[in-house]
């Protein structure tokens, strides 16, 4: 079966890729021989191969397009640096209002945190006391600490418990 | 600025063509790694190593010499910005050439043009000169003659479907291999071969029609196979 073109020779469809390889010098000897044999027997493929060979001659007449100048790499690197700089200044420009807001927020947060820490220190001790009280009152009223003289910290609570158990 | 290993830069400058491909790929890998770590000089070396091929590829697709440099710069800029995400599973060159192809398509889309538009046909004088060159089978002498031949060929190639034109130009004028074309253009290798072979027939048809219309190939067998 042959594919359709208006002018010239058209190779058998199943030989097209093989003939392209043949033209490219990319075939092993046995494949090259079988391509040659087919071209001897088939006028279409023979004509198409001749046609393709002239296309190589025709297209190679012009040679490759113009290459880069000697300064190309340096120009590229300069463009890259400029783009990077632009990106970082854009980033800074975009975040600037947020940054100053951020600083103000950080300052406020530090103050608040300071207040919280000092409050927490006092509250923590208080809470610990309550916890100890709850535990002790939960076990037995006998072990209830002297409300007038609550334990100052966990160690004191443990000491109290140990003493009362020991006494029992 | 950190430096590229000296031996690498020196060998790349001294033997750009004789470096075997495998070694070159290994060196590319190392240069990519250094670039990913932020070594600018390593990226600059990659630019030097691949600029010629990127120009060929972009030039082959756009066929507008005045735009090639700008697009090629853009290709390397994109590569630089994306290099940290490049996982080195493919060769650097393949990755870079794909960026180049995409950049060309973007560019053409933005400009809303076909890669090449030639309204005017060839003059009789041009046809005659080309015929002389082809039948003598020798390259035109001097940069002026070469440029003119190129222009004539570009006009003939413009008559082909875009993909045919690209394949022929990249293969025969810019020296890309079938394997490379398949990778760059995301095509099956066999498809590239078949399309290339058919495109050869088409460009020769264009050539023969030009010659026929100017009477150069009167009585040639090109007309025997019509239909
Ligand atoms: Zn055949």
């Amino acid at each position: 079966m042959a594919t359709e073109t208006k002018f010239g020779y058209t190779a058998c469809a199943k030989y097209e890729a093989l003939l392209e390889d043949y033209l490219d010098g990319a075939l092993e000897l046995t494949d090259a021989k079988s391509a040659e044999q087919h071209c001897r027997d088939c006028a279409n493929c023979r004509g198409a191969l001749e046609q393709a060979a002239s296309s190589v001659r025709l297209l190679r007449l012009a040679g490759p397009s113009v290459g880069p100048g000697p300064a190309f790499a340096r120009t590229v690197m300069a463009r890259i640096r400029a783009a990077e700089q632009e990106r970082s200044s854009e980033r800074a420009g975009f975040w600037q209002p947020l940054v100053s807001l951020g600083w103000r927020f950080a300052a406020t947060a530090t103050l608040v945190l300071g207040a919280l820490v000092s409050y927490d220190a006092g509250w923590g001790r208080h809470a610990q006391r309550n916890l100890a009280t709850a535990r002790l009152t939960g076990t037995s009223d006998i072990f209830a600490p002297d409300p007038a003289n609550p334990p100052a910290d966990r160690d004191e609570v443990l000491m109290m418990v140990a003493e009362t158990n020991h006494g029992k | 600025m950190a430096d590229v290993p000296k031996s690498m830069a020196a060998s790349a400058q001294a033997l750009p063509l004789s470096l075997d491909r495998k070694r070159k790929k290994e060196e590319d890998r190392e240069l990519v790694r250094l670039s990913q770590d932020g070594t600018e000089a390593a990226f600059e070396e990659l630019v030097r190593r691949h600029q010629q091929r990127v120009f060929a590829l972009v030039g082959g697709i756009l066929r507008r010499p005045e735009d090639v440099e700008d697009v090629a710069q853009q290709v390397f800029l994109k590569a630089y910005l994306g290099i940290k995400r490049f996982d080195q599973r493919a060769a650097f060159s393949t990755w870079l050439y794909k960026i180049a192809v995409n950049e060309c398509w973007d560019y053409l889309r933005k400009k809303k043009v076909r890669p090449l538009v030639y309204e005017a046909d060839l003059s009789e004088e041009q046809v005659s000169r080309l015929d002389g060159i082809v039948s003598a089978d020798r390259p035109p002498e001097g940069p002026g003659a070469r440029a003119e031949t190129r222009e004539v060929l570009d006009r003939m190639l413009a008559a082909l479907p875009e993909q045919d034109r690209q394949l022929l130009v990249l293969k025969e004028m810019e020296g890309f291999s079938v394997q490379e074309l398949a990778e760059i253009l995301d095509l099956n290798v066999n498809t590239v071969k078949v399309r290339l072979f058919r495109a050869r027939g088409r460009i020769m048809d264009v050539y023969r029609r030009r010659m026929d219309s100017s009477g150069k190939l009167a009585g040639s067998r090109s007309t025997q196979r019509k239909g």
Side-chain angles (χ1 to χ4, degrees), chain A residues 54-79:
Chain A
S54 12
S55 84
V56 176
R57 287 196 295 274
L58 177 71
L59 293 167
R60 288 191 183 167
L61 286 174
S65 54
V66 183
F72 180 76
R74 261 171 288 148
T75 313
V76 167
M77 295 315 289
R79 194 167 160 185

Side-chain angles (χ1 to χ4, degrees), chain B residues 33-98:
Chain B
R33 210 187 49 71
L34 288 167
S35 305
Q36 288 173 332
D37 288 346
T39 309
E40 258 187 32
F43 191 80
E44 187 167 348
E45 183 59 28
L46 284 170
V47 176
R48 286 185 204 285
R49 284 171 167 237
H50 294 275
Q51 56 185 11
Q52 193 77 39
R53 300 286 274 165
V54 166
F55 260 69
L57 184 56
V58 173
I61 294 176
L62 299 184
R63 305 303 284 171
R64 293 164 172 272
E66 67 277 17
D67 300 334
V68 173
E69 164 119 20
D70 193 45
V71 174
Q73 282 183 20
Q74 193 66 25
V75 169
F76 284 109
L77 179 62
K78 282 257 167 88
Y80 181 85
L81 297 176
I83 200 145
K84 287 200 171 154
R85 276 172 280 126
F86 172 49
D87 59 13
Q88 302 235 48
R89 267 185 295 183
F92 173 73
S93 55
T94 309
W95 180 73
L96 182 68
Y97 299 162
K98 281 190 175 183

Side-chain angles (χ1 to χ4, degrees), chain B residues 125-169:
Chain B
E125 196 197 338
Q126 283 173 318
V127 171
S128 161
R129 204 170 307 161
L130 185 68
D131 191 36
I133 293 167
V134 173
S135 47
D137 190 19
R138 57 180 168 75
E141 280 159 26
R146 192 164 267 258
E148 171 158 6
T149 307
R150 178 165 268 276
E151 197 201 316
V152 170
L153 285 175
D154 277 345
R155 288 190 190 199
M156 298 204 315
L157 283 160
L160 263 53
E162 188 44 37
Q163 193 172 45
D164 284 10
R165 190 193 66 79
Q166 265 176 31
L167 285 171
L168 284 177
V169 168

Side-chain angles (χ1 to χ4, degrees), chain A residues 10-15 19 38-39 41-46:
Chain A
T10 303
C12 304
K14 72 168 189 172
Y15 278 92
L19 292 178
H38 178 76
C39 284
D41 299 339
C42 173
N44 281 330
C45 285
R46 192 166 58 241

Side-chain angles (χ1 to χ4, degrees), chain A residues 70-90:
Chain A
F72 180 76
R74 261 171 288 148
T75 313
V76 167
M77 295 315 289
R79 194 167 160 185
I80 284 172
R81 272 174 223 127
E84 289 261 278
Q85 220 154 33
E86 200 177 313
R87 277 208 317 174
S88 61
S89 68
E90 256 174 30

